[in-house]
Amino acid sequence: MEEVARKNRNPFVIALIAVVIVFVAVPIAVICLSFVGRVSPEAVLPDTFAAYVRVPDVMRFTDRLLAHESLPDILAEPAVAPLAPAIARIRDSGLTERALARFLGNGNLEGAVLADGRLIAAYDVGIASPLMALAPFVAGRITGKNLYYVQAGGSFRFEYRPEGGAVWFIAPYHNLLVVSNDSALIEAALKEAPRGEDVSGITEGAPAADSLTGTLDVDGPSPSPEEATSVGDSGRLARRLGSDEYDIGFLVDSRDALAAIANGDEAIRAVIAKLDVSDTLALTVRIKPRELDVSLRTRLESKAPELSAILSKDSPDSNIAAALPENAQYSTLVSGIPPERLLAALKAVSPPDVGDSIDRADRTASSILGMGFDKLIYSWAGDGLAVFGLEGRPRPVFALKVADEAKRKAAFDAAIATFAVSEDDTFVIDGVRVPQLKLPDFLAGLLGLFKVSVPAPYYLVENGWLYLSESPENLLATVTAIRKGNTLREGDTWKLLSAPSGSKETLSLFYSLDRAIPFFLKGHSSVTRALRLYRQGLARLSIEDGEAVVTLAVIPGSGGGVAPLPGYPVELGGRAGDAVYAVTFASGRSSRLVTVVDKTRVLALDTATLAVHTFDAGSPAWCVPAPDLAPDKPEAPALWVVTESGDVSLMNGNLEIAQGFPVSVGVALSSCPVADADRVLLPGTDGSLRTVDRAGNLGALALPFADELRSPPVIAASLARRVIAAYPKGFSGMLWLMDASGAALPGWPIPAGGIAFGSPVPCETKRGLELAFLTQSGTLSRYTESGQAVKGYPASLPGVFFFQPAFDGECLWAVSSSGVLYRIALDGAVMSRQIPDFTASAGSIACADIDGDKAPEILVTGDGNALFAYRGDFTPIDGFPLPIWGRPAIADLNGDGSLECAGVGLDNQLYCWQFRKKRGN
């Protein structure tokens, strides 16, 4: 027996048993123990909150977030910029690659944000939860900077107290690690308050933001307590967000979400007012390397029968994208809704005058054409509609599905037989005959309801679709692409964006921010600004069993564009002026952005540190950079500050006055001063042109005219000399070109040709210096240095003009008060494009190579809070328009070889973006 026992104590067998115990039995035991006494994160969250957030797998979320291409641009947003250093440390530390971190980090995180800003979150450590039992024994030994161990009664927690920051409270609880920024909130959570009890500290009667049943009338009261339900059973909120395929999910109050979606758009607000939705909307986000997929779910109904007829019908499998060409840059698609139902819904959500217009058009069609909409449109039209635009082509195309071509042709023939509609089929392009209809006003107005202006549209019928457009070229391009199979549905971009949401849809918006900004991205919140970083997107609405699913898939798009710089915008603390100037230094250490606030206070922002320097001039003032002084560092003289009364100060980049200043020229100024080499030119109200040099010496130029300059003179280089161009806006209306002493050059002055605003525009061409000038009525003149008119000029531009054009080295660019952008070539040939939703009775226009492709781009501001940018072929630039007005500053502010753009918004903030170079450059 002893021999048998000795055999059973074989060292190998004992070692094998030990290995099994350590590597198999112990892990199994730990896993089993991890399920004992488990608590759902929801169990420690309050019943009342403004928003609920859930991350199903923290490590997966972290991996995908760090790998996301647009993360640096998102972190530049002021709302999340404070997180940038922490995220950078996590990425650079390699923490996410460590085995222990990956083991402990694959649990789920859930949290609640209260209306007063307090928050609480709980992280489930999963199978590592038995280790939490050891926490009381090792907690006192855990140390760190600003980290304190606190024990009170039978519980303990950690408190992180950063210098000058909010205190964070951290406590283990069963399988959870609970974190909050409020001690009362975390204490209430750890007491295991019954789920029916509100542990948030919000007073009785406050609305519960997490109700998951009932309806919400956005114009009516919140649901009663009887209609609302609490989160009682564990996991209910998580289930509301659906499966765990998303990376981060939110439950948010419908009121806030719908208000953000409407974004002040009255038409959208009118639609929302007719809807009944769930009190809480479920929103999930999935992160991919270049793409973001956002999904929003809610129950959607309406008491309006016209809308209910649409919402009660499940979305069909849509194939409209197969009826659009691949190069469609934006589109609005409606599926499964015939025109009569769509117009009925439009009448239900629009002001009464819209419904009256539709009814009046129907009656007019009956009286003039002998048939109402039922025969003219409804009898043949199908249940698909689209409005789209082609890349590089300004005029949109309207498409309507044809269910019965024979009835369509009969309706068209009957309408053309009347005197109200005529058809011209003489237009032939590339061998294809493209008929044109002249529509009566009531039919053109009907199309206008869909944002399509086609009073005399060309049309083609192809593959069961009717296409209408003012441009026959657009129709031919559309039909040709469809015949070749080059459709939007087969394009890589559409496939990428549509994949997450499938093929069912009632409504979709496919957009490129180069051409159009959808209504839900027109706001200035952090979310909309972040989403505008993605230049292309597809938003879709689908309905199934009364539940609406809105999906948004976005990608950065191609090309260059702009990226906001971290730390901006900067509050100016007063009313912003109409211009921002850049002051750069040869050392390249930093730059200054200079502007005037409240007319009298000069502000200089250090672009490296965002420190602000100010100088109060005491009266209305101008600031004028002096680049010819070649400042090598911020302490060197760099700009002139001049008051309207004629007080002149030379200052450095920190707005410190140079020795010998200020000086007074003794006369009030009639317009903005101008820097000229080491001096500043000061137009006086007495018709003089005074000078002050960097040493403080006063002087004056003997001008050949007596009229005061209401627009500043312009300095230009002509061979080896500097010349001064001026337009004294007086009765004579003459243009002058003078030498540096003020003497007129041979051949000058020249009649201006009419009243105008602004100063002449110097143009350096291969033939030498030329001068361009644009009158208010649109007469554009161009002269050589000797005063001779350039061949092909003057050119006549339709419209009214309130500022002078810009020269890009090859062409002149001008913008009319109605927002038409003109390109005028050296030979006088004119091309134009209407800038959407744009007027310009004030503003600026400039040319700069912002994307490094050796071809200048054109930047335009007008009356509104928008800076537009176009390439030489009128193609819009990625990222524009930007929310600024007046004259922007365009310069390399950080010495990295790329240009930045800075400007002020109507919200009195200073913005700054960096231009991205085009890919491939």
Side-chain angles (χ1 to χ4, degrees):
M1 292 294 293
E2 292 180 0
E3 185 177 352
V4 172
R6 284 195 298 271
K7 289 182 180 180
N8 289 338
R9 292 197 295 267
N10 185 299
F12 176 76
V13 174
I14 294 174
L16 181 61
I17 293 172
V19 168
V20 170
I21 293 174
V22 172
F23 291 99
V24 178
V26 171
I28 291 175
V30 170
I31 293 174
C32 293
L33 286 173
S34 70
F35 289 95
V36 177
R38 290 185 61 82
V39 177
S40 167
E42 288 182 25
V44 298
L45 299 183
D47 288 332
T48 303
F49 48 77
Y52 164 83
V53 60
R54 182 171 189 265
V55 180
D57 187 323
V58 171
M59 186 55 64
R60 183 183 68 186
F61 171 76
T62 304
D63 288 341
R64 292 180 176 179
L65 181 66
L66 295 179
H68 189 58
E69 179 181 305
S70 298
L71 178 62
D73 298 337
I74 295 173
L75 291 177
E77 277 296 312
V80 294
L83 300 176
I87 292 177
R89 285 195 295 269
I90 293 173
R91 181 183 55 225
D92 298 339
S93 68
L95 178 65
T96 59
E97 302 301 322
R98 297 174 184 172
L100 180 60
R102 301 197 69 82
F103 171 70
L104 296 176
N106 60 2
N108 71 294
L109 174 71
E110 300 181 39
V113 181
L114 277 62
D116 57 7
R118 293 182 299 160
L119 59 87
I120 183 171
Y123 176 69
D124 187 347
V125 298
I127 62 174
S129 60
L131 300 178
M132 301 284 282
L134 302 177
F137 305 102
V138 299
R141 297 179 176 83
I142 299 176
T143 59
K145 184 179 180 181
N146 301 323
L147 184 67
Y148 300 89
Y149 171 64
V150 178
Q151 186 172 9
S155 64
F156 72 93
R157 69 182 182 221
F158 292 96
E159 295 183 6
Y160 178 64
R161 307 171 187 168
E163 297 178 4
V167 178
W168 288 90
F169 305 91
I170 310 149
Y173 181 72
H174 293 275
N175 54 298
L176 304 177
L177 194 63
V178 186
V179 180
S180 179
N181 61 353
D182 183 78
S183 60
L185 194 58
I186 196 170
E187 288 171 4
L190 299 183
K191 288 179 182 177
E192 295 188 81
R195 298 310 302 152
E197 179 183 337
D198 182 8
V199 300
S200 67
I202 293 180
T203 57
E204 184 178 355
D210 60 320
S211 294
L212 303 181
T213 65
T215 63
L216 173 65
D217 180 349
V218 296
D219 287 336
S222 299
S224 66
E226 291 77 15
E227 293 173 322
T229 57
S230 69
V231 293
D233 57 315
S234 176
R236 182 173 184 181
L237 292 177
R239 289 196 299 274
R240 174 64 175 163
L241 290 170
S243 66
D244 287 353
E245 294 181 359
Y246 58 88
D247 293 310
I248 185 169
F250 304 88
L251 293 179
V252 295
D253 185 85
S254 298
R255 294 179 184 274
D256 296 334
L258 294 177
I261 292 173
N263 190 32
D265 189 303
E266 292 303 321
I268 303 302
R269 285 177 58 87
V271 175
I272 292 175
K274 299 286 185 178
L275 299 177
D276 294 333
V277 301
S278 303
D279 299 340
T280 302
L281 304 185
L283 186 149
T284 60
V285 181
R286 188 174 183 182
I287 305 171
K288 298 179 181 178
R290 297 189 69 239
E291 180 184 354
L292 275 186
D293 295 333
V294 182
S295 176
L296 186 151
R297 290 178 176 270
T298 181
R299 187 187 52 75
L300 192 61
E301 297 175 352
S302 177
K303 295 181 177 65
E306 299 87 353
L307 290 178
S308 180
I310 294 175
L311 300 177
S312 60
K313 181 180 178 182
D314 288 354
S315 299
D317 284 324
S318 175
N319 63 350
I320 296 185
L324 274 61
E326 185 177 1
N327 65 338
Q329 203 168 24
Y330 67 91
S331 68
T332 299
L333 310 179
V334 180
S335 304
I337 307 175
E340 60 268 30
R341 191 175 295 173
L342 185 61
L343 288 177
L346 182 61
K347 289 167 61 177
V349 299
S350 300
D353 59 320
V354 173
D356 293 343
S357 297
I358 296 174
D359 293 338
R360 186 165 52 253
D362 192 4
R363 292 192 301 269
T364 304
S366 296
S367 60
I368 294 179
L369 303 180
M371 52 182 170
F373 287 169
D374 54 348
K375 182 176 180 182
L376 183 63
I377 302 173
Y378 304 158
S379 64
W380 57 265
D383 59 357
L385 179 147
V387 180
F388 60 94
L390 305 183
E391 185 175 358
R393 299 175 183 265
R395 293 183 177 88
V397 178
F398 182 90
L400 185 60
K401 191 174 183 179
V402 178
D404 191 322
E405 171 59 16
K407 290 183 179 180
R408 183 211 63 82
K409 189 175 185 307
F412 273 41
D413 290 344
I416 293 169
T418 68
F419 69 91
V421 180
S422 61
E423 181 182 53
D424 180 0
D425 62 356
T426 61
F427 188 85
V428 178
I429 179 171
D430 292 343
V432 177
R433 191 175 302 278
V434 185
Q436 183 181 29
L437 294 174
K438 182 173 178 56
L439 299 179
D441 292 341
F442 69 88
L443 284 180
L446 183 66
L447 287 173
L449 296 175
F450 299 96
K451 308 298 183 183
V452 179
S453 176
V454 281
Y458 294 87
Y459 77 94
L460 284 174
V461 178
E462 179 69 23
N463 199 26
W465 286 83
L466 169 68
Y467 299 94
L468 301 166
S469 178
E470 285 186 295
S471 169
E473 293 84 1
N474 287 359
L475 291 181
L476 183 62
T478 296
V479 171
T480 300
I482 292 171
R483 289 173 179 174
K484 293 180 178 179
N486 299 328
T487 65
L488 181 63
R489 187 179 64 178
E490 300 304 319
D492 292 338
T493 300
W494 180 271
K495 286 181 177 179
L496 177 65
L497 294 175
S498 63
S501 55
S503 61
K504 293 183 179 295
E505 67 178 7
T506 295
L507 173 70
S508 72
L509 296 175
F510 173 60
Y511 66 87
S512 171
L513 294 185
D514 301 341
R515 288 293 301 272
I517 301 178
F519 66 88
F520 54 84
L521 292 185
K522 289 184 177 180
H524 299 300
S525 68
S526 297
V527 174
T528 55
R529 285 200 299 263
L531 287 176
R532 283 201 297 268
L533 297 172
Y534 302 86
R535 307 305 303 161
Q536 290 179 289
L538 176 63
R540 308 178 89 175
L541 166 67
S542 62
I543 300 170
E544 185 173 358
D545 295 331
E547 184 178 50
V549 179
V550 178
T551 59
L552 174 64
V554 293
I555 56 175
S558 58
V562 294
L565 291 184
Y568 293 89
V570 175
E571 289 282 353
L572 295 177
R575 184 176 180 181
D578 62 355
V580 175
Y581 302 95
V583 177
T584 58
F585 307 105
S587 63
R589 290 191 304 168
S590 63
S591 300
R592 298 290 185 270
L593 289 172
V594 185
T595 190
V596 177
V597 180
D598 293 330
K599 296 186 178 181
T600 64
R601 184 163 53 91
V602 182
L603 180 149
L605 177 74
D606 186 331
T607 58
T609 65
L610 298 186
V612 176
H613 306 274
T614 60
F615 171 77
D616 193 346
S619 62
W622 291 280
C623 54
V624 181
D628 290 328
L629 297 183
D632 60 343
K633 54 186 178 180
E635 294 77 19
L639 71 152
W640 303 94
V641 175
V642 183
T643 67
E644 286 185 353
S645 59
D647 296 327
V648 181
S649 297
L650 179 61
M651 296 187 171
N652 64 18
N654 299 329
L655 299 185
E656 297 167 334
I657 302 177
Q659 186 175 0
F661 290 88
V663 298
S664 177
V665 296
V667 64
L669 270 59
S670 60
S671 69
C672 179
V674 176
D676 176 27
D678 67 343
R679 64 182 181 175
V680 61
L681 307 183
L682 306 130
T685 54
D686 60 356
S688 65
L689 188 59
R690 310 295 177 92
T691 66
V692 176
D693 67 16
R694 66 181 302 166
N697 300 314
L698 303 181
L701 301 184
L703 298 178
F705 52 84
D707 296 319
E708 66 179 89
L709 290 173
R710 299 182 185 178
S711 56
V714 177
I715 311 300
S718 173
L719 299 177
R721 62 179 175 175
R722 299 167 74 88
V723 296
I724 303 173
Y727 167 58
K729 189 178 181 180
F731 180 77
S732 58
M734 306 295 286
L735 300 177
W736 294 83
L737 194 60
M738 304 166 286
D739 63 20
S741 67
L745 297 182
W748 299 87
I750 293 172
I755 297 296
F757 297 90
S759 306
V761 180
C763 305
E764 291 284 349
T765 70
K766 296 178 181 179
R767 296 176 297 210
L769 178 67
E770 295 177 358
L771 213 63
F773 193 71
L774 177 62
T775 68
Q776 182 179 358
S777 61
T779 300
L780 178 62
S781 302
R782 198 164 176 174
Y783 302 98
T784 66
E785 187 176 348
S786 61
Q788 301 298 312
V790 174
K791 184 179 179 181
Y793 288 83
S796 181
L797 308 179
V800 178
F801 298 82
F802 289 101
F803 46 92
Q804 292 296 314
F807 183 63
D808 68 359
E810 296 290 340
C811 300
L812 282 162
W813 293 83
V815 63
S816 72
S817 61
S818 61
V820 178
L821 179 63
Y822 291 94
R823 183 182 72 189
I824 308 95
L826 292 173
D827 60 2
V830 178
M831 296 186 68
S832 66
R833 169 182 177 153
Q834 175 69 55
I835 302 176
D837 302 320
F838 183 83
T839 59
S841 59
S844 67
I845 186 167
C847 300
D849 180 14
I850 63 176
D851 58 8
D853 64 353
K854 310 302 181 184
E857 284 72 38
I858 299 84
L859 299 102
V860 186
T861 63
D863 300 330
N865 197 49
L867 170 66
F868 290 83
Y870 295 91
R871 296 191 178 89
D873 60 356
F874 292 98
T875 302
I877 306 296
D878 289 353
F880 289 84
L882 300 175
I884 57 178
W885 69 290
R887 173 179 169 174
I890 302 170
D892 182 2
L893 299 175
N894 52 17
D896 65 351
S898 296
L899 294 180
E900 283 76 42
C901 173
V904 292
L906 289 177
D907 56 359
N908 296 317
Q909 296 190 90
L910 177 62
Y911 293 81
C912 193
W913 297 267
Q914 183 170 65
F915 294 115
R916 293 165 166 168
K917 293 186 177 181
K918 293 181 68 176
R919 293 176 183 171
N921 289 346

